Amino acid sequence: MKKIGLHEIRQEFIDFFKDKGHLVIKSFPLIPKNDKSLLLINAGMAPLKPYFTGEKTPPSKRIVTCQKCIRTADIENVGKTDRHATFFEMLGNFSFGDYFKREAIEWAWEFLTERLEIPKEDLWVSIYKEDDEAFKIWNEVIGLEKEKIVPLGKEDNFWELEIGPCGPCSEIYIDRGKKYGCGKKDCKPGCDCERFIEIWNLVFTQYDKDKNGEYHPLEHPNIDTGMGLERITAIIEGARNIFEIEEIQHILKFVEKTSGKKYGIDPSVDTSIRVITDHSRAITFMVSDGILPSNEGRGYVLRRLIRRAARHGKLLGIEEPFLNKIVDVVISSWKVEYPELEEKKVQIKKVIQAEEEKFQETIHQGINILENYIEELISKGDKCLSGKNAFKLYDTYGFPLDLTREILEEKGLTVDEKGFNQQMEKQRNMARKARKSVVDSGWKNAQSTELFSDYDTQFVGYDILEIETKVLGLFKQGEAIENLEEYDQGIIILKETPFYGESGGQVGDTGYIRGENFVARVLDTKRIDDVIVHFINVENGRVSVEEPVYAIVDKDRRENIKRNHSATHLLHRALKDILGEHVNQAGSIVLPDRLRFDFTHYEPVREEQLKEIERIVNKKILESLEVKIINTTLNESQKMGAVGLFEDKYEDEVRIVQMGDYSKELCGGTHVDNTSNIGLFKIISESSIAAGVRRIEAITGYAVYEYINQMEKDIQNISSILKTDRSQLTDRIYNLIEELKKKEKELNSLKSKMASSIAEDIINKSVKVDGVNLISYKIEDMDMDSLRNLGDEIKNTIDSGIIVLASIDKNKVSFVSMVTKDLVNKGFHAGNIIKEVAKITDGGGGGRPDMAQAGGKNINKVEEALSMIPSIIKKQIE
């Protein structure tokens, strides 16, 4: 065989099919575009699906790709075997109504035997048992002996979904030799042993399956092939599995060096090394493609992989965060094909490090709790952790269910997943009830789309705020009516309307609708199933269906909304400029008085970054950028580089809001004509709202002016209170802080002296527990340092004993536990004692055998916790 490695094989494949007239397409991102059926790209053909179904015309009838893929179905098995992987690259050549079986088979044979120089005698194939055409090509054209052409059934060699394009396939296998086999005389492809390894699957899409299960021949059949790059590399290099490929060995050896553990000696160590080696590639590519850790969807897959790899690092004895260092090894190798990895290296490392550090906080506490649960299960002879306890681990300590399951499996235990899901659903139901608000009876069933299905309203309010129109429909309490009387609350639908219906984060307009005999205040406007509905209160008179009316939008309110909406676009672009292109909108609300913008980012935005973002937005406002509206097609908008949530379903016709050459976004909202109309922009706050999602709240225009006036007033009031000039205010505050620190230090010193004076009284209250001297005591208003000093003084005074001290200070519970050296030598452990004590007060902690400390939350249970110490000591004696 040709002596080449993974990257060379990839290039050989691409070049070979390029010479055969194929268009070379770079790998698509791992995030599917306009395909909600997939969480992540998991096959070479997945991004090309629209070309196979006919939804889109391919750029060429012949295409070749090397597609990066993630498969998540077998995450639990990755590491436990030497063949499962989450990340892999799939080589594929595709024909869309061009060449068919003969060319696909001939070229596959040519590439394997001539380009890669695999001996012909080592190759076997399987075909669909009814595919005589494929058999003839393999036997008569290629010259493969019929004994090496294995017919298999539909389950193995026919590719299909429930409906749509489908067809038979032919798989190419390599014979690794009898030493890998089962010893049976009839051993061949289809056998469960490790002798015959499938390396390439050729799918002949020649039928269209209808909903009745009937197969209709396609007028233009297609070719879809897939060959795993890692698997063919293992064959060429003579490696036993993908973990022994030279390029992947670089990662594996880094894990060995970091952990100090050797691969191939201990099966449990091998599992952990394989997990880290595989997952490090997956997480590097996922973050590079813009995926951030979160608690749902593909973000959860990323979080799960990072946490699983981090935990296996712990099992190897790696205590510090290390995954961001492995990223360097992955990028160093794969940047030859994916240069964007090097470009995004800093961001990739930051995301992974932030998530791993976050998990460090979770894992220690969670594993301690889980170990206690495991001890209880074993002591009771049970094998299954309750769903309630598993959910408590997840809900209270952030410990994921899959990690709980994996740790339990290592101990031969299981978890009640059904019970866990019931607890999860119970919590969701409670949240739903908490969110549910009482809808005014006048607007009952206002969200029912069927109610308005016969109506069609034309929105004319981008440029017009007042219009003559007529009433199409009136509703009250979910019923269509002919009239609304004075003081009635209900819904009105107009033929044309200048009122913007709430959508895309922008709130609905308010204003008035007037007729000859009535005046109605518009309290809100919503878009329900593309119908614009106005929530009104009839202030006087009577309104009727078909009546001509005059609709007037509250102009000042609309202008404020426009300023805030346009500012969100500038903010979005500035966030990308400063934080990176991984930033994407995760939600927004545009109100008259402020804006709220949620975005994907892996860490808090630093103060200097916020200042720079704010500066950029204001700079673009002062540059007086013209705001243009461009109506175009979705495809054209993507070519123009317009920003949009392309996972959402857009119509073919879209609206782009362009601000100079700085910002282009798909948006249906209302905007200023020029950025100078925004006035000023001020960020009020930045915070976290979910894992991997941050929120910025800001104000514009007159609201900034009012904000500055209020700040001025506050500064003046503070200056008066502190009796100092405004120019001296900062120095005055610093001096006061220093004085307070000095007083607090003096106070703590006095507390320590007072504590020392009562040390003898505390010692005198000691008791004997099965011959062990126990000193436990509760003290009010003592901080942790003072409590520890008191414990040291007591310990230095007595010859032998166990000390547990508690204090309630500022509504927080502090515990300190100490054990003298003689009792430590007998097996007593301060850390284990304090952990049990703190647990009673809904807290936690731990430490060394001779000294430990902990915190608690429930101040009402301190006495109960101290009363349990004798029984805890008796357990340790046992």
Side-chain angles (χ1 to χ4, degrees):
M1 296 186 201
K2 200 169 186 178
K3 299 298 180 187
I4 55 176
L6 181 141
H7 299 307
E8 292 80 11
I9 293 171
R10 184 198 295 113
Q11 197 57 50
E12 283 276 356
F13 184 87
I14 297 294
D15 291 344
F16 176 84
F17 282 99
K18 185 179 179 183
D19 292 343
K20 302 292 184 187
H22 289 64
L23 173 69
V24 179
I25 292 184
K26 295 286 286 182
S27 175
F28 290 84
L30 289 166
I31 301 175
K33 283 194 175 180
N34 299 320
D35 185 355
K36 294 193 176 182
S37 67
L38 282 179
L39 194 63
L40 294 156
I41 294 297
N42 60 3
M45 65 78 65
L48 307 175
K49 206 188 296 182
Y51 303 146
F52 283 105
T53 60
E55 289 176 55
K56 292 185 178 179
T57 303
S60 169
K61 287 190 173 184
R62 298 181 180 186
I63 285 175
V64 60
T65 68
C66 179
Q67 176 62 46
K68 50 195 176 186
C69 303
I70 295 278
R71 284 192 185 164
T72 59
D74 295 316
I75 287 179
E76 288 85 357
N77 288 323
V78 174
K80 295 176 183 176
T81 72
D82 55 17
R83 60 188 179 86
H84 283 93
T86 49
F87 177 85
F88 59 95
E89 295 177 79
M90 186 63 76
L91 302 166
N93 59 290
F94 307 91
S95 166
F96 304 101
D98 188 32
Y99 63 83
F100 199 46
K101 288 183 189 178
R102 177 163 180 159
E103 294 90 339
I105 290 172
E106 284 183 322
W107 292 340
W109 187 259
E110 181 185 345
F111 179 74
L112 292 174
T113 60
E114 295 183 23
R115 283 293 183 101
L116 297 187
E117 300 174 9
I118 296 176
K120 294 179 181 179
E121 59 269 21
D122 291 345
L123 295 173
W124 289 59
V125 301
S126 67
I127 60 168
Y128 178 48
K129 63 184 180 181
E130 296 179 15
D131 193 352
D132 297 333
E133 183 185 1
F135 177 85
K136 283 183 180 180
I137 297 170
W138 280 117
N139 183 234
E140 296 174 13
V141 179
I142 301 301
L144 195 62
E145 305 96 304
K146 63 181 180 181
E147 292 79 16
K148 286 192 168 185
I149 306 170
V150 182
L152 296 173
K154 207 170 187 181
E155 187 177 330
D156 296 297
N157 277 66
F158 196 95
W159 183 87
E160 65 180 339
L161 299 171
E162 288 186 16
I163 59 170
C166 58
C169 57
S170 180
E171 296 175 332
I172 305 174
Y173 292 79
I174 190 158
D175 182 358
R176 301 167 79 199
K178 292 181 180 178
K179 64 180 179 179
Y180 291 98
C182 56
K184 296 176 184 176
K185 287 185 180 179
D186 63 344
C187 184
K188 57 188 174 184
C191 182
D192 290 334
C193 71
E194 296 291 322
R195 177 174 175 176
F196 294 93
I197 298 294
E198 179 221 328
I199 54 175
W200 204 342
N201 188 15
L202 315 177
V203 180
F204 312 127
T205 312
Q206 63 190 81
Y207 300 112
D208 184 19
K209 183 182 176 184
D210 65 24
K211 60 183 179 181
N212 299 317
E214 297 289 328
Y215 296 92
H216 308 281
L218 286 170
E219 185 180 350
H220 301 292
N222 304 316
I223 289 293
D224 161 23
T225 85
M227 176 163 59
L229 177 58
E230 292 82 358
R231 187 174 291 186
I232 189 63
T233 304
I235 298 296
I236 295 297
E237 291 186 359
R240 288 175 299 178
N241 56 65
I242 63 172
F243 293 98
E244 294 184 10
I245 295 170
E246 183 181 351
E247 293 301 330
I248 294 179
Q249 277 281 299
H250 295 323
I251 306 172
L252 190 145
K253 290 186 183 301
F254 183 89
V255 181
E256 284 184 317
K257 183 179 177 183
T258 305
S259 65
K261 302 286 172 62
K262 278 289 176 189
Y263 185 76
I265 298 172
D266 181 341
S268 64
V269 168
D270 291 354
T271 294
S272 293
I273 291 176
R274 282 195 292 261
V275 166
I276 298 166
T277 301
D278 169 82
H279 288 8
S280 61
R281 283 203 304 158
I283 62 180
T284 300
F285 278 92
M286 288 175 79
V287 177
S288 172
D289 279 351
I291 300 169
L292 293 176
S294 70
N295 284 332
E296 58 186 16
R298 59 184 69 95
Y300 180 69
V301 174
L302 173 61
R303 169 162 286 167
R304 184 178 176 189
L305 294 177
I306 292 174
R307 293 187 167 192
R308 189 166 188 258
R311 178 180 169 266
H312 278 277
K314 293 280 183 205
L315 295 178
L316 293 177
I318 307 172
E319 291 301 324
E320 296 300 316
F322 69 98
L323 292 176
N324 69 312
K325 298 183 180 74
I326 299 184
V327 167
D328 293 327
V329 184
V330 177
I331 292 176
S332 176
S333 177
W334 270 265
K335 68 182 179 182
V336 65
E337 177 64 18
Y338 305 100
E340 64 271 17
L341 292 175
E342 184 67 40
E343 295 164 13
K344 299 176 181 178
K345 184 175 179 177
V346 173
Q347 174 198 327
I348 295 168
K349 288 168 69 75
K350 277 187 176 181
V351 171
I352 291 171
Q353 183 174 358
E355 180 62 22
E356 190 177 6
E357 287 174 349
K358 195 178 293 179
F359 185 52
Q360 294 275 13
E361 301 166 12
T362 299
I363 196 167
H364 290 302
Q365 198 171 18
I367 282 182
N368 283 339
I369 306 272
L370 182 54
E371 283 175 352
N372 288 337
Y373 288 155
I374 290 171
E375 284 176 20
E376 288 176 21
L377 286 174
I378 293 171
S379 67
K380 293 176 182 176
D382 290 341
K383 289 284 186 182
C384 183
L385 180 69
S386 72
K388 187 176 181 180
N389 282 342
F391 184 74
K392 185 177 180 183
L393 274 170
Y394 166 80
D395 192 43
T396 307
Y397 303 103
F399 210 69
L401 176 64
D402 50 83
L403 194 53
T404 299
R405 184 196 307 119
E406 190 167 326
I407 293 171
L408 288 168
E409 283 175 359
E410 290 166 5
K411 307 281 187 182
L413 305 171
T414 60
V415 58
D416 176 13
E417 294 192 37
K418 185 179 179 183
F420 175 90
N421 291 330
Q422 287 171 346
Q423 292 289 323
M424 179 73 83
E425 189 58 31
K426 184 178 176 183
Q427 188 190 64
R428 284 177 182 149
N429 288 334
M430 288 171 65
R432 287 189 197 108
K433 286 177 183 176
R435 285 195 302 266
K436 189 176 180 182
S437 59
V438 179
V439 179
D440 189 278
S441 60
W443 303 327
K444 184 181 174 185
N445 298 328
Q447 299 296 326
S448 171
T449 57
E450 292 179 7
L451 202 59
F452 313 118
S453 58
D454 294 333
Y455 296 91
D456 183 22
T457 304
Q458 184 184 357
F459 175 64
V460 296
Y462 283 126
D463 304 307
I464 302 170
L465 297 184
E466 299 182 14
I467 188 175
E468 281 191 65
T469 181
K470 74 171 182 175
V471 179
L472 292 183
L474 294 169
F475 299 86
K476 182 179 178 183
Q477 296 183 350
E479 299 288 337
I481 55 174
E482 290 297 314
N483 306 289
L484 278 173
E485 306 292 340
E486 192 168 342
Y487 307 126
D488 276 351
Q489 288 188 330
I491 287 172
I492 187 170
I493 295 178
L494 304 175
K495 184 178 180 182
E496 301 93 13
T497 181
F499 287 85
Y500 182 86
E502 181 179 340
S503 61
Q506 179 176 325
V507 295
D509 283 331
T510 62
Y512 283 92
I513 296 173
R514 302 177 187 273
E516 188 175 335
N517 301 310
F518 80 96
V519 174
R521 180 186 288 272
V522 178
L523 304 174
D524 196 5
T525 311
K526 293 187 183 295
R527 184 180 290 271
I528 299 176
D529 200 24
D530 284 336
V531 179
I532 297 174
V533 300
H534 311 77
F535 293 78
I536 64 167
N537 181 40
V538 182
E539 295 192 339
N540 61 67
R542 179 191 197 196
V543 55
S544 304
V545 174
E546 294 294 322
E547 184 176 349
V549 295
Y550 204 66
I552 308 159
V553 174
D554 182 332
K555 182 181 177 182
D556 289 342
R557 184 175 181 275
R558 167 73 83 83
E559 289 300 321
N560 288 334
I561 291 170
K562 284 164 64 175
R563 291 186 186 98
N564 286 331
H565 201 157
S566 296
T568 64
H569 286 221
L570 295 177
L571 172 62
H572 193 184
R573 184 64 257 171
L575 285 165
K576 284 179 175 286
D577 288 346
I578 299 304
L579 304 181
E581 287 296 328
H582 67 280
V583 167
N584 283 305
Q585 181 177 334
S588 71
I589 291 183
V590 180
L591 300 164
D593 59 335
R594 69 186 188 281
L595 65 93
R596 195 174 81 194
F597 190 79
D598 300 340
F599 58 98
T600 54
H601 190 51
Y602 48 86
E603 64 182 357
V605 184
R606 298 192 304 275
E607 184 65 30
E608 62 271 22
Q609 290 175 320
L610 278 175
K611 290 294 179 190
E612 182 60 15
I613 290 162
E614 188 177 86
R615 187 192 70 79
I616 289 172
V617 174
N618 280 298
K619 182 174 183 289
K620 296 303 172 185
I621 291 170
L622 294 172
E623 284 177 5
S624 301
L625 303 178
E626 183 184 359
V627 179
K628 291 182 182 177
I629 305 300
I630 303 167
N631 294 298
T632 184
T633 64
L634 180 61
N635 284 340
E636 196 59 35
S637 74
Q638 290 172 308
K639 290 176 186 175
M640 291 171 65
V643 174
L645 302 176
F646 288 107
E647 293 168 48
D648 289 352
K649 196 73 176 173
Y650 288 106
E651 299 295 329
D652 288 336
E653 294 294 322
V654 295
R655 182 174 185 263
I656 298 174
V657 177
Q658 179 174 331
M659 299 181 182
D661 293 326
Y662 187 65
S663 168
K664 289 178 193 172
E665 283 198 37
L666 302 189
C667 182
T670 62
H671 289 273
V672 296
D673 298 323
N674 189 290
T675 58
S676 62
N677 298 142
I678 298 170
L680 280 173
F681 172 81
K682 178 66 184 171
I683 294 174
I684 301 302
S685 68
E686 189 275 342
S687 61
S688 169
I689 60 165
V693 182
R694 311 292 303 178
R695 170 173 291 170
I696 280 178
E697 296 198 57
I699 53 176
T700 64
Y702 292 113
V704 179
Y705 173 73
E706 291 168 0
Y707 177 84
I708 293 169
N709 279 343
Q710 186 59 48
M711 292 281 285
E712 289 278 321
K713 187 177 178 181
D714 291 343
I715 290 169
Q716 187 59 50
N717 288 339
I718 293 168
S719 299
S720 298
I721 292 167
L722 296 180
K723 295 182 174 60
T724 187
D725 188 77
R726 288 174 57 169
S727 62
Q728 304 295 318
L729 190 57
T730 304
D731 289 340
R732 175 68 176 138
I733 290 170
Y734 278 133
N735 289 336
L736 281 173
I737 290 170
E738 288 304 313
E739 285 177 33
L740 284 171
K741 284 180 181 177
K742 187 178 176 182
K743 297 293 183 188
E744 194 171 340
K745 196 173 179 181
E746 290 173 1
L747 184 61
N748 287 334
S749 176
L750 282 170
K751 283 182 181 179
S752 293
K753 288 175 183 176
M754 288 172 63
S756 298
S757 67
I758 62 169
E760 190 175 335
D761 289 340
I762 295 171
I763 293 169
N764 290 335
K765 289 182 172 60
S766 65
V767 295
K768 294 284 184 182
V769 179
D770 289 356
V772 175
N773 193 25
L774 169 63
I775 299 168
S776 64
Y777 199 82
K778 185 182 88 167
I779 304 156
E780 297 293 336
D781 302 323
M782 188 173 282
D783 60 24
M784 184 62 84
D785 286 341
S786 301
L787 202 62
R788 209 165 35 237
N789 291 337
L790 176 58
D792 283 334
E793 184 154 347
I794 294 171
K795 186 179 175 185
N796 293 332
T797 304
I798 62 175
D799 295 324
S800 175
I802 294 171
I803 305 155
V804 181
L805 302 176
S807 177
I808 300 170
D809 183 33
K810 297 172 185 173
N811 266 348
K812 287 195 299 186
V813 184
S814 297
F815 291 105
V816 165
S817 175
M818 295 184 180
V819 178
T820 54
K821 189 175 181 181
D822 63 310
L823 294 179
V824 170
N825 293 336
K826 289 181 180 180
F828 288 95
H829 195 291
N832 293 341
I833 293 170
I834 209 70
K835 185 165 66 174
E836 293 295 320
V837 172
K839 193 191 297 182
I840 297 165
T841 62
D842 302 326
R848 305 189 307 268
D850 62 327
M851 199 285 284
Q853 61 189 51
K857 297 175 184 175
N858 192 335
I859 61 174
N860 298 317
K861 288 197 172 185
V862 174
E863 299 284 359
E864 180 187 339
L866 293 177
S867 71
M868 295 301 292
I869 297 171
S871 61
I872 294 169
I873 291 174
K874 285 178 181 178
K875 275 187 187 177
Q876 289 208 359
I877 292 171
E878 289 168 7

